[in-house]
Amino acid sequence: MVADIDEQSIRKEKPEDLVLALAHAKADAILALLVPSDSSVNESEGTTILITCDQVVESRGRILEKPSNEAQAREYISSFALHPPRTVASIVCTNVGTGVTCEGLDASRVVFSAIPESVVEELLQEGVTYNVAGGLCVEHP
């Protein structure tokens, strides 16, 4: 199930605050679909846990989300060797029946060697770079 939210309308200064706000917004959107306001969840059927998450990349004090165009994707990827990015991820677990939530954060720094221009071109042509925070996936070279 995909949360239909406008991520760009949710803004926070700190990456940690942003990823938590986004994960909570995703949970709220999905809960609205799972549990209509005029009904209740039957707990006798078991406990249902909804897990939502988000991730952004931070570099040089800037939050790098999904690149909006080729120039921005190229800038992000090309800068990582000089300015190692930090990924910040959140997870929110929500008990669908009770609404009780718990949340967590994780961050890590990623160090890159220089990324050759030919690899940058390949990534841009692949297209996935526009759908991920900072423009790179862990699967990328």
Side-chain angles (χ1 to χ4, degrees):
M1 194 173 251
V2 176
D4 186 21
I5 66 168
D6 177 11
E7 292 188 21
Q8 294 302 314
S9 69
I10 300 170
R11 301 291 86 198
K12 301 288 181 188
E13 291 289 321
K14 292 176 53 182
E16 295 82 359
D17 295 339
L18 178 59
V19 293
L20 280 173
L22 289 167
H24 278 285
K26 290 174 181 181
D28 292 344
I30 293 173
L31 282 171
L33 298 173
L34 293 176
V35 185
S37 59
D38 60 348
S39 69
S40 62
V41 173
N42 184 349
E43 284 294 322
S44 66
E45 295 176 11
T47 301
T48 301
I49 302 296
L50 172 64
I51 300 172
T52 54
C53 53
D54 201 77
Q55 176 175 296
V56 295
V57 174
E58 177 189 39
S59 180
R60 295 179 279 173
R62 280 181 31 211
I63 295 174
L64 309 180
E65 295 181 81
K66 297 170 186 164
S68 58
N69 56 51
E70 181 181 322
Q72 190 173 56
R74 187 180 300 281
E75 174 203 338
Y76 287 178
I77 297 167
S78 298
S79 72
F80 290 157
L82 292 174
H83 307 283
R86 182 174 77 110
T87 61
V88 181
S90 67
I91 185 168
V92 173
C93 300
T94 305
N95 181 313
V96 173
T98 65
V100 173
T101 65
C102 62
E103 61 189 42
L105 290 167
D106 188 49
S108 63
R109 181 137 337 256
V110 185
V111 178
F112 290 90
S113 296
I115 300 173
E117 187 59 32
S118 61
V119 172
V120 174
E121 289 300 324
E122 200 175 302
L123 293 170
L124 294 172
Q125 288 177 10
E126 183 182 87
V128 174
T129 193
Y130 302 105
N131 299 317
V132 294
L136 286 177
C137 295
V138 272
E139 296 85 10
H140 286 146

